[in-house]
Amino acid sequence: MLLTISTTVRPATDLGFLLHKHPDRIQEFGQSYGVARVFYPEADEERCTATLMLDVDPVRLVRSRGRSTPDHALGQYVNDRPYAASSLLAVALADVFRTARTGRCDSRPELAAGPIPLEIALPALPCRGGPEMAHRLFEPLGWTVEARAVPLDEEFPEWGDSRYVRLSLRGEVRLADALNQLYVLLPVLDDAKHYWMASDEVDKLIRAGESWLAAHPARGLITRRYFGRRSSLTRTAFARLAEIGDDVEEELDPPLEEEVTAGDGEEAAATAEAIVGESSGGAALPAAETGAEVTEGVSVTAPGTAAAEAVPRRPLNALRHEAVLATLAETGARTVIDLGCGSGQLVGELLGRPEFTKVAGTDVSAQALAIAARRLKIDRMPDRKRARLELFQGALTYTDDRFAGYDAAVLMEVVEHVDPPRLSALERVVFGVARPAHVIVTTPNAEYNVRYDSLTGMRHPDHRFEWTRAEFRAWAAKTGEEYGYRVDFRPVGDDDPEVGPPTQLALFGKASATGAGGGDD
């Protein structure tokens, strides 16, 4: 099976630096089921193409299968796995391009950090859902997609199409993001995996999808298919995605749509369990608390119980947005800047409220801003609404005049992504230079992490730290005292009597501020 990656960035041979694979060499990487080879069929200043070829040995593949894998006799040896892109190729890609997937390139750091023109081709990709599914999964990520169904036999067109497509992707995308998208979406399109999935598979998905999955409109479908509809892993992943902050819409679990079809009862069970487990705070609720009867892994609400009559609890991300909007209304702010706006969900909610006369969003990620522009439909936005909006790229640890002049600034699930030695720079930029009348900061409460099933470590792989309630209060008090702000603290989500709320919020107000008003005193 083949995967080709091409670029026309000048000089195009820099692709070798980004992939950490020399264009003049053929390199081999052993896999448990065969051999992966990387070579460059073309490499010059104008255009460079890297090819990943996976040679699958059917006998080794059978010998490496788990004991619980069904024995299909001849079907174990004669199948499409050596020829069609699948989880086998995804695992080989993750192994061969391990460093490239992290976005690290000491020789070309600027090139690795930004989007470059890319073309990706897969001549044979099993795709449950046909070409339309390939468009549905890749187009929201900024790709121009060409997906053509492969006929069963070109000599007999009346036989119709096979389940395979020829896939071509073109776009300006950061190479690390492109590789991680392929790693996740190849087995999702195939709707199968060749290996047993353990709990660490959730961490793999969160790491690979941290810059794009939470904002993807089909993230529910992607997550269910990625885990083979294993309900416990799916539920845990939904809870983890709910913690990524502004990059998640209120509904993590979309309608079942075409995914629940004949034979898909296990997926329906996974979705039902995920819905029951989707509480304010993201943790799965015990059956005793929900009034549910647990039968074969599916939580079913018992008739006549309080849970059956109660309004479903809201996802934590929805509660976080509601808390921020309510706090902004309390301050009387008319102009607001979202510092670390991600894919622009909060920006869109602010624009939908006419009381906010000016709304700005800034993020260090160009890709996040591109997603925000698509989410907000800027190209079709009415002129009066567009005049209230400003989106721009910026880093919160560097002074930027564009951060100043707003009544309120929001840092929603942002500070925990900043390296601790750089926090003082953020404090100086936001509280010392921009100096809005009010600053709203939300961040995870580390004490609440024990309420999340299967969570080990922090809630997100990009978190540099997570504060307890005492640590957050100490930081906020110190910052307020240093820059002349008073601080008020509020819980977001259920305030657990033992560990506190899942999210903690601090409202900073300039000591001399009694209402709205931007700029220095």
Side-chain angles (χ1 to χ4, degrees):
M1 65 186 79
L2 292 176
L3 164 70
T4 62
I5 304 172
S6 304
T7 187
T8 54
V9 69
R10 297 292 299 272
T13 49
D14 279 354
L15 180 63
F17 288 104
L18 299 181
L19 292 174
H20 299 267
K21 301 292 179 285
H22 199 290
D24 293 339
R25 301 173 187 164
I26 298 176
Q27 300 181 58
E28 293 190 355
F29 303 85
Q31 308 293 313
S32 63
Y33 45 81
V35 178
R37 295 180 176 87
V38 177
F39 59 92
Y40 291 76
E42 58 178 342
D44 55 43
E45 298 291 302
E46 302 290 334
R47 182 179 174 87
C48 187
T49 298
T51 297
L52 172 61
M53 182 175 71
L54 182 59
D55 185 7
V56 175
D57 183 339
V59 175
R60 289 174 62 183
L61 181 60
V62 171
R63 289 174 177 171
S64 66
R65 69 186 178 94
R67 293 182 179 180
S68 61
T69 304
D71 185 346
H72 296 301
L74 188 61
Q76 299 177 84
Y77 301 93
V78 182
N79 52 55
D80 67 350
R81 297 297 89 174
Y83 315 106
S86 64
S87 63
L88 297 172
L89 183 61
V91 169
L93 178 149
D95 175 45
V96 172
F97 299 132
R98 184 184 303 112
T99 305
R101 288 178 58 218
T102 67
R104 182 174 65 81
C105 180
D106 296 337
S107 301
R108 302 290 188 274
E110 298 84 4
L111 198 61
I116 62 173
L118 289 174
E119 297 178 19
I120 294 174
L122 289 154
L125 173 65
C127 188
R128 184 186 172 208
E132 296 79 12
M133 183 61 70
H135 283 272
R136 180 179 178 185
L137 297 190
F138 281 106
E139 283 182 345
L141 300 172
W143 294 102
T144 299
V145 180
E146 181 181 345
R148 291 181 296 162
V150 177
L152 285 171
D153 192 320
E154 293 182 352
E155 298 296 324
F156 300 94
E158 65 273 15
W159 289 2
D161 294 328
S162 68
R163 71 186 190 97
Y164 305 96
V165 299
R166 293 188 181 93
L167 181 66
S168 174
L169 306 173
R170 293 181 177 83
E172 294 218 354
V173 179
R174 193 171 74 111
L175 179 63
D177 291 335
L179 294 174
N180 284 314
Q181 290 162 12
L182 290 170
Y183 171 73
V184 172
L185 295 181
L186 289 183
V188 166
L189 288 167
D190 186 20
D191 203 12
K193 279 196 173 183
H194 72 281
Y195 59 90
W196 175 257
M197 286 177 285
S199 59
D200 65 344
E201 203 70 20
V202 175
D203 291 326
K204 294 179 185 178
L205 176 64
I206 298 298
R207 282 196 299 268
E210 64 178 324
S211 65
W212 58 274
L213 179 56
H216 199 295
R219 61 189 167 275
L221 180 149
I222 291 170
T223 305
R224 288 193 298 275
R225 281 194 175 192
Y226 182 87
F227 292 116
R229 303 175 183 83
R230 286 170 173 79
S231 59
S232 60
L233 296 179
T234 301
R235 183 179 66 246
T236 301
F238 280 166
R240 294 281 296 278
L241 285 172
E243 295 310 313
I244 298 181
D246 190 44
D247 290 343
V248 182
E249 294 181 351
E250 290 185 359
E251 298 299 329
L252 278 173
D253 221 15
L256 298 185
E257 301 174 354
E258 79 288 343
E259 284 297 287
V260 181
T261 57
D264 276 354
E266 186 179 352
E267 176 172 8
T271 304
E273 186 172 356
I275 291 172
V276 172
E278 186 69 40
S279 68
S280 58
L285 295 175
E289 184 175 342
T290 60
E293 177 184 356
V294 181
T295 306
E296 297 181 351
V298 181
S299 298
V300 182
T301 304
T305 62
E309 300 171 2
V311 177
R313 303 172 73 186
R314 306 293 306 283
L316 175 59
N317 187 58
L319 296 176
R320 186 186 297 122
H321 279 246
E322 290 171 1
V324 168
L325 292 170
T327 306
L328 285 171
E330 178 185 325
T331 68
R334 304 281 288 170
T335 60
V336 181
I337 182 168
D338 185 2
L339 300 172
C341 66
S343 62
Q345 185 184 350
L346 180 63
V347 170
E349 291 173 321
L350 293 170
L351 281 175
R353 301 186 175 213
E355 62 265 30
F356 299 114
T357 58
K358 183 179 179 182
V359 176
T362 182
D363 201 280
V364 71
S365 168
Q367 183 185 25
L369 291 171
I371 294 173
R374 289 198 299 272
R375 176 198 287 269
L376 297 170
K377 299 180 174 63
I378 287 180
D379 55 338
R380 293 177 301 213
M381 187 176 289
D383 291 342
R384 290 183 62 182
K385 191 174 185 179
R386 181 68 182 87
R388 296 166 51 213
L389 171 66
E390 184 178 4
L391 285 179
F392 61 91
Q393 188 173 17
L396 301 182
T397 53
Y398 295 92
T399 300
D400 192 325
D401 292 340
R402 295 173 296 178
F403 297 160
Y406 293 89
D407 298 338
V410 177
L411 289 155
M412 187 164 66
E413 309 299 287
V414 169
V415 294
E416 62 272 13
H417 294 270
V418 179
D419 288 317
R422 301 292 293 158
L423 267 180
S424 59
L426 179 146
E427 296 161 10
R428 180 181 58 81
V429 168
V430 175
F431 296 93
V433 179
R435 290 193 61 76
H438 296 90
V439 180
I440 299 172
V441 179
T442 75
T443 192
N445 170 20
E447 298 167 79
Y448 193 87
N449 289 354
V450 297
R451 298 291 187 251
Y452 291 103
D453 294 339
S454 304
L455 175 63
T456 57
M458 299 187 198
R459 298 186 197 179
H460 189 274
D462 189 55
H463 286 183
R464 279 21 181 196
F465 59 86
E466 289 177 356
W467 279 322
T468 63
R469 287 169 291 174
E471 290 169 336
F472 181 50
R473 286 174 176 264
W475 170 81
K478 176 186 72 68
T479 302
E481 182 178 358
E482 182 174 355
Y483 292 101
Y485 283 81
R486 60 185 183 279
V487 193
D488 182 32
F489 299 94
R490 292 98 184 271
V492 178
D494 289 341
D495 198 353
D496 189 293
E498 295 180 4
V499 297
T503 292
Q504 40 195 345
L505 182 151
L507 170 62
F508 294 81
K510 281 201 294 192
S512 59
T514 57
D520 288 323
D521 295 331

